[in-house]
Amino acid sequence: MALYQNLLVLAGLVLAMVLLRTIRRPGGPRVYAAVLALQLVLTFTAIVYEDRYLGTVAICLCALTVIAPAALERGARQMFALGRPRLAVRLSGLRAMLMPGAGLGRQQQILRGFALLDRDGADAALAYFRGLVAAAEDPAELAVIHEQIVAMLLFDHRWSEAVTHYESHFHPSYAAVRPTLALGILRAFGELGRHDAAAALLRSIEDGPLGSEAGAAELLAQARLTFLAHAGALGVVEDALARDRGRRLGLSPGTATLFLGIAAARAGDPVRADALLQQVPGLARRSETRLAAAARTARAHLDDPAPVFEPELHDFVQAVGERFRAAIRERSGTRRLQPLFMTTALIAVSAGWYAITLAAGWAGVGLLRAGALTGELWRAGSWGRLFTAPFVHADLVGLLLDCYSIWLAGHVLERIHGWARTGLIAILGSAAGMWAAAVADPDPAQVIGGGNALAVSVLVATLWTLLPARTPGLLSTVRRSVVLTLLFLLGAHVFACIPGVYGLRSTPLSLGTAAFVASVLTLLLPPTLPGWTRRPLAALCLAAIAVVGLGAVQVAREDPIAFAAAHRDRRVSENGVALALPASFERVEADDRRHPLLKVFPGWLDTQALRGGYLVQFVVVPDAAAEGSALFALAPALARELVIRPEDAPAPAFAGFVNYTLQRNGETIARVVERRLGDHAVLLLAAPASALDPAPALYSAILGDAALAD
């Protein structure tokens, strides 16, 4: 049951995120977006109406149309990297079949051309693409196909044909926004000695969007390197590549050595160039199939005279060399980003806490041993649960949502505010949310978890940080993208507040209080603080961490099960039998939908156990037959569905009672512990059979103290 619920909620989250990304993409596939939207509606319907059939269909459709295509895409890229394009084409074809309306037909046609290149050579691939040109009518599709023709010619080192085809179908600066094409055309111009055309293209790259984009710095450096190598600027190229063989520029040792050899040849040093180019085949990786051929082509032109430039072009080469050197120095001197200590720690503690909870079997009532919060325990003096509850999770989906939210938002928040302020926002915000929930929740036994409050604190603080007035230097497109994603995650956490019978309870009040405290801590001080504030903030954060540790120690020393057994203040009479129950039990009527293994009978249900997917209920059967289990007297139809067997070795806590196990189709699904009081029978029903394990002493005390009402 828990696995099905987790998978259904996870499918809904995945569908929503992929749908959001598809809609935001300019010119995104609308038909595929509609398919995703229909699946999301189906998933939401299955959750609301608790329809297992619709839920199973939704999970399977999500796996087929979203999860499997993502895995196939990753596999196809891996196959291309390994030099196996034919297998990559098969994987991509299967992916296109599983994504109806995604518009992958054009991509599949292009991939078939690469498979032909691998199997039959460049001429077969060129013939295939020229056939596509004859059949294509869409201008955008024609441009893509012509790009592939140029790429095939460049791959086969047919420089003159590649340049001719490029110039006859594209504007001279067209390649300035096509990274891979730009590098190939720059090299073709260099091989043909057309340095003026190469300089014009490089100017277009530097002045275009790639020249100002921080993420394209490596590409821009490779473009400048290609131009300088073919211009014979040996000193600049050697300074950039000799030390680490091009690793700073994202080049392999073989490619870096090739550029050095070309630069030496164009600088008028054929002996050194020949020595360098002879090393290239031995340095080439398995995937660099054309590197050895490129070295042979370069060696064939060692006797060509060194290029002579006009003054204007010579000055441009010198200027590019200076910009290239400056970029290399800046790249070498750039400090690595500091690791996200607090963000990583919050995620690690949450995941470790969940692993311990899972290994110890602390589900349902057992979550109180893990540090979950109830208003009853808070009022009894268990203050440490305010700080431990934010790290307690009852299900994997909730843990993943919280960790993903913290990870995504923490990249912004901790980079700007530092680890100490991030820690204070997370710890104090979530603790305040737990306090508000414990004080105001009308149900004193309601088990409350604070993972949502922890994540919401970080999300809200990050959203305030992304305001233009607080981070004016951030690009609007980047800001908009991050804010939309964070708002979607915030909505998912608010959606988690919808009341349910499974998992830990989240309350709107706890999330609102956590968001308020996080907002105050974020807006109270500016994003950038003077250096002298670092130590006080660090001291405060360490003090908060120490309080969390003290709270964990207090919780570890408590026995919430013994507390519940000692505080059974609810005195009820059920069919003539008096029961002493803790606050977590509530009166219920017959219900077939509470649990898939066993129906609910009129009696008293443990709501805390139900949070962990366990059904534990006390039922009183009046006028029970002297022989046989009173369960079948209560529901005779179960005798045809279930087999009842005496339990050979009951738990010590229930040794004084009659113990049975219930089996359906040979599988044990539930336990029955029965106590006779005259002609009455008190039944303790538990499904699955392990449902009594988290709190046997509590249930045994309730059963043992049952008595006939006066």
Side-chain angles (χ1 to χ4, degrees):
M1 181 66 178
L3 178 62
Y4 162 76
Q5 293 286 348
N6 289 344
L7 289 177
L8 185 59
V9 175
L10 184 61
L13 291 174
V14 169
L15 287 168
M17 293 181 68
V18 175
L19 177 61
L20 180 65
R21 185 181 64 184
T22 304
I23 293 175
R24 284 170 47 196
R25 185 187 307 161
R30 299 302 178 189
V31 177
Y32 183 60
V35 171
L36 293 175
L38 290 174
Q39 292 185 52
L40 187 59
V41 171
L42 180 65
T43 304
F44 184 75
T45 304
I47 292 174
V48 172
Y49 291 98
E50 298 183 2
D51 192 315
R52 290 182 63 85
Y53 174 75
L54 290 180
T56 303
V57 172
I59 292 170
C60 294
L61 287 176
C62 178
L64 284 174
T65 60
V66 178
I67 305 299
L72 290 171
E73 182 183 18
R74 186 181 183 88
R77 291 180 179 179
Q78 189 72 17
M79 291 303 103
F80 269 114
L82 295 175
R84 303 182 66 181
R86 278 178 283 181
L87 183 55
V89 170
R90 294 192 185 98
L91 294 177
S92 298
L94 182 57
R95 173 173 174 257
M97 184 178 67
L98 293 175
M99 297 177 66
L104 298 178
R106 181 190 303 169
Q107 180 187 18
Q108 189 63 18
Q109 288 181 333
I110 292 173
L111 291 176
R112 289 196 189 100
F114 285 103
L116 280 174
L117 174 67
D118 177 64
R119 187 181 64 195
D120 300 327
D123 290 332
L126 284 168
Y128 172 78
F129 282 118
R130 283 167 178 153
L132 292 181
V133 169
E137 297 180 358
D138 182 19
E141 184 177 353
L142 278 170
V144 172
I145 296 172
H146 282 302
E147 280 188 46
Q148 304 312 312
I149 292 176
V150 174
M152 292 297 106
L153 293 170
L154 292 171
F155 177 83
D156 205 33
H157 295 169
R158 292 152 70 169
W159 312 117
S160 180
E161 292 181 59
V163 168
T164 300
H165 194 91
Y166 172 78
E167 292 181 332
S168 62
H169 291 89
F170 298 109
H171 187 272
S173 60
Y174 176 84
V177 293
R178 301 293 192 280
T180 304
L181 184 63
L183 294 177
I185 294 297
L186 274 175
R187 185 175 174 195
F189 282 146
E191 293 289 342
L192 296 174
R194 294 182 54 183
H195 300 290
D196 52 346
L201 178 56
L202 183 58
R203 284 194 188 95
S204 299
I205 296 174
E206 291 181 329
D207 296 338
L210 294 178
S212 58
E213 187 177 338
E218 187 174 279
L219 168 70
L220 183 60
Q222 292 180 11
R224 287 169 173 163
L225 176 67
T226 302
F227 174 77
L228 292 170
H230 287 88
L234 178 59
V236 180
V237 174
E238 191 170 29
D239 290 343
L241 302 181
R243 182 179 301 176
D244 62 355
R245 292 195 174 186
R247 290 189 182 90
R248 286 174 295 178
L249 303 179
L251 302 177
S252 68
T255 304
T257 305
L258 175 66
F259 276 121
L260 275 172
I262 292 173
R266 298 305 170 89
D269 191 350
V271 177
R272 187 181 179 192
D274 187 56
L276 288 168
L277 294 173
Q278 288 185 38
Q279 300 175 21
V280 172
L283 297 173
R285 298 171 180 170
R286 183 179 300 179
S287 59
E288 296 175 325
T289 56
R290 299 294 293 172
L291 206 56
R296 288 195 297 271
T297 302
R299 291 183 67 194
H301 296 84
L302 289 177
D303 296 331
D304 291 353
V308 178
F309 303 123
E310 296 293 331
E312 183 180 353
L313 185 56
H314 181 271
D315 293 341
F316 180 75
V317 172
Q318 296 293 326
V320 170
E322 291 301 321
R323 290 196 292 271
F324 183 64
R325 279 197 173 101
I328 292 296
R329 286 195 299 268
E330 181 180 354
R331 194 174 184 86
S332 301
T334 301
R335 294 185 300 173
R336 295 179 60 185
L337 292 175
Q338 293 296 322
L340 300 172
F341 291 116
M342 185 54 62
T343 301
T344 306
L346 292 173
I347 294 173
V349 172
S350 298
W353 215 297
Y354 177 73
I356 294 172
T357 303
L358 205 63
W362 290 338
V365 181
L367 291 171
L368 298 177
R369 296 188 184 275
L373 175 69
T374 66
E376 185 180 34
L377 289 171
W378 154 251
R379 285 187 280 275
S382 184
W383 60 267
R385 296 179 183 274
L386 297 181
F387 297 92
T388 59
F391 299 102
V392 179
H393 292 82
D395 60 282
L396 181 60
V397 172
L399 174 69
L400 293 177
L401 177 61
D402 294 340
C403 289
Y404 179 69
S405 301
I406 294 170
W407 176 253
L408 196 63
H411 272 75
V412 178
L413 188 65
E414 189 169 350
R415 299 286 188 209
I416 295 175
H417 291 293
W419 66 270
R421 197 165 168 189
T422 301
L424 287 172
I425 290 170
I427 295 173
L428 298 183
S430 58
M434 293 299 93
W435 172 81
V439 170
D441 199 313
D443 185 354
Q446 180 68 64
V447 183
I448 302 170
N452 294 77
L454 183 69
V456 165
S457 299
V458 180
L459 284 172
V460 170
T462 306
L463 287 170
W464 284 119
T465 303
L466 288 172
L467 287 175
R470 299 182 70 82
T471 51
L474 193 62
L475 293 176
S476 59
T477 54
V478 176
R479 187 193 311 277
R480 189 182 308 113
S481 176
V482 176
V483 166
L484 284 175
T485 304
L486 296 184
L487 286 175
F488 168 75
L489 290 173
L490 189 60
H493 286 289
V494 174
F495 178 77
C497 291
I498 297 177
V501 295
Y502 300 108
L504 286 174
R505 181 77 165 91
S506 297
T507 66
L509 179 61
S510 66
L511 297 192
T513 306
F516 173 77
V517 173
S519 301
V520 171
L521 294 175
T522 305
L523 299 176
L524 192 61
L525 299 173
T528 304
L529 296 174
W532 63 267
T533 62
R534 294 178 183 175
R535 288 189 177 181
L537 282 176
L540 288 174
C541 183
L542 293 176
I545 294 172
V547 173
V548 175
L550 291 175
V553 171
Q554 185 202 47
V555 169
R557 297 174 62 181
E558 295 176 349
D559 189 348
I561 308 304
F563 176 87
H567 292 77
R568 290 180 288 127
D569 300 328
R570 176 174 288 178
R571 306 289 176 172
V572 300
S573 179
E574 180 73 16
N575 290 331
V577 174
L579 299 173
L581 300 172
S584 61
F585 279 78
E586 68 176 22
R587 182 69 171 80
V588 293
E589 298 298 332
D591 188 354
D592 293 331
R593 300 179 63 183
R594 287 290 187 104
H595 201 279
L597 295 179
L598 191 67
K599 67 177 294 185
V600 172
F601 298 98
W604 291 86
L605 183 70
D606 188 353
T607 57
Q608 289 182 349
L610 200 60
R611 290 287 161 191
Y614 292 156
L615 181 68
V616 177
Q617 55 182 323
F618 281 93
V619 180
V620 177
V621 183
D623 303 323
E627 297 183 356
S629 174
L631 175 65
F632 294 128
L634 183 65
L638 288 179
R640 296 188 297 269
E641 179 184 350
L642 303 177
V643 175
I644 188 167
R645 297 186 183 279
E647 193 170 353
D648 297 330
F654 304 105
F657 309 111
V658 180
N659 293 264
Y660 300 101
T661 58
L662 299 180
Q663 295 183 347
R664 179 185 289 125
N665 299 325
E667 180 183 359
T668 299
I669 64 165
R671 289 174 63 184
V672 181
V673 183
E674 185 174 326
R675 184 189 177 198
R676 293 298 179 115
L677 294 172
D679 60 348
H680 290 65
V682 183
L683 302 180
L684 171 58
L685 305 178
S690 59
L692 300 180
D693 295 343
L698 172 63
Y699 302 131
S700 175
I702 297 173
L703 194 61
D705 291 344
L708 292 173
D710 296 334

